[in-house]
Amino acid sequence: MRTTATEITVDATPAQVWATLTDLPRYCTWNPVVRQAAGEVAVGARLELTMYAESGKPTVFRPTVLTAVPGAELRWAGRFLVRGLLDTEHWFRLSEGPGRTTRLEHGERFRGLLAPLLGSRLTGTARNFTPMNEALRTRVESARSAL
């Protein structure tokens, strides 16, 4: 099993961060990594996410939502070809911080036969999380200041 995770503080409440994080049709307006997103943010639902990693080449993923707790956690799982080859679990955890801020933990866990071979690809995945986190923070904070 391999895991990569990041975190960032957003100057907004968990509810405000959640509203942007789960507004999938608007990902194209702010998200530099997941530029297209569709589906229902509900346990058991399938999402369709078009990701543009460092290579710039689009990749479509169709993960299943495992957890959708408003203002607290969004988690989904996917797999490459068949279960056990390369299974992924992606998460966003929100917790209230001081002064109406939100601590966002954003990570992914990789399991399966191919997971030990990922090496540098995990580093690239972590590098994709940082611009996504920054863009989410900018989007939420700019929407908050517009109120």
Side-chain angles (χ1 to χ4, degrees):
M1 177 171 61
R2 307 279 309 257
T3 300
T4 187
T6 60
E7 65 178 69
I8 193 168
T9 299
V10 181
D11 188 16
T13 66
Q16 291 166 320
V17 175
W18 180 262
T20 298
L21 187 61
T22 58
D23 187 1
L24 302 181
R26 294 200 195 282
Y27 270 36
C28 63
T29 64
W30 66 266
N31 195 323
V33 179
V34 181
R35 296 186 196 165
Q36 294 175 312
E40 183 182 356
V41 178
V43 174
R46 296 279 307 259
L47 304 178
E48 184 167 308
L49 309 173
T50 304
M51 301 180 75
Y52 289 76
E54 290 181 316
S55 68
K57 182 180 175 186
T59 304
V60 177
F61 293 95
R62 291 180 181 85
T64 301
V65 177
L66 300 176
T67 305
V69 179
E73 183 176 15
L74 173 59
R75 190 165 36 103
W76 64 65
R79 68 175 64 107
F80 177 68
L81 298 177
V82 296
R83 185 181 307 243
L85 189 57
L86 182 61
D87 302 331
T88 62
E89 188 175 313
H90 196 102
W91 70 84
F92 300 90
R93 293 186 187 116
L94 311 174
S95 57
E96 191 170 342
R100 296 178 52 88
T101 61
T102 299
R103 179 173 166 251
L104 167 69
E105 294 177 65
H106 179 189
E108 192 158 21
R109 181 174 298 118
F110 302 86
R111 293 184 179 120
L113 296 173
L114 296 179
L117 307 175
L118 290 176
S120 64
R121 185 160 180 153
L122 271 183
T123 304
T125 298
R127 279 195 304 262
N128 285 323
F129 289 175
T130 301
M132 185 172 168
N133 294 346
E134 292 288 343
L136 176 63
R137 175 169 59 191
T138 298
R139 176 70 173 202
V140 172
E141 290 177 357
S142 65
R144 182 173 176 243
S145 65
L147 297 176

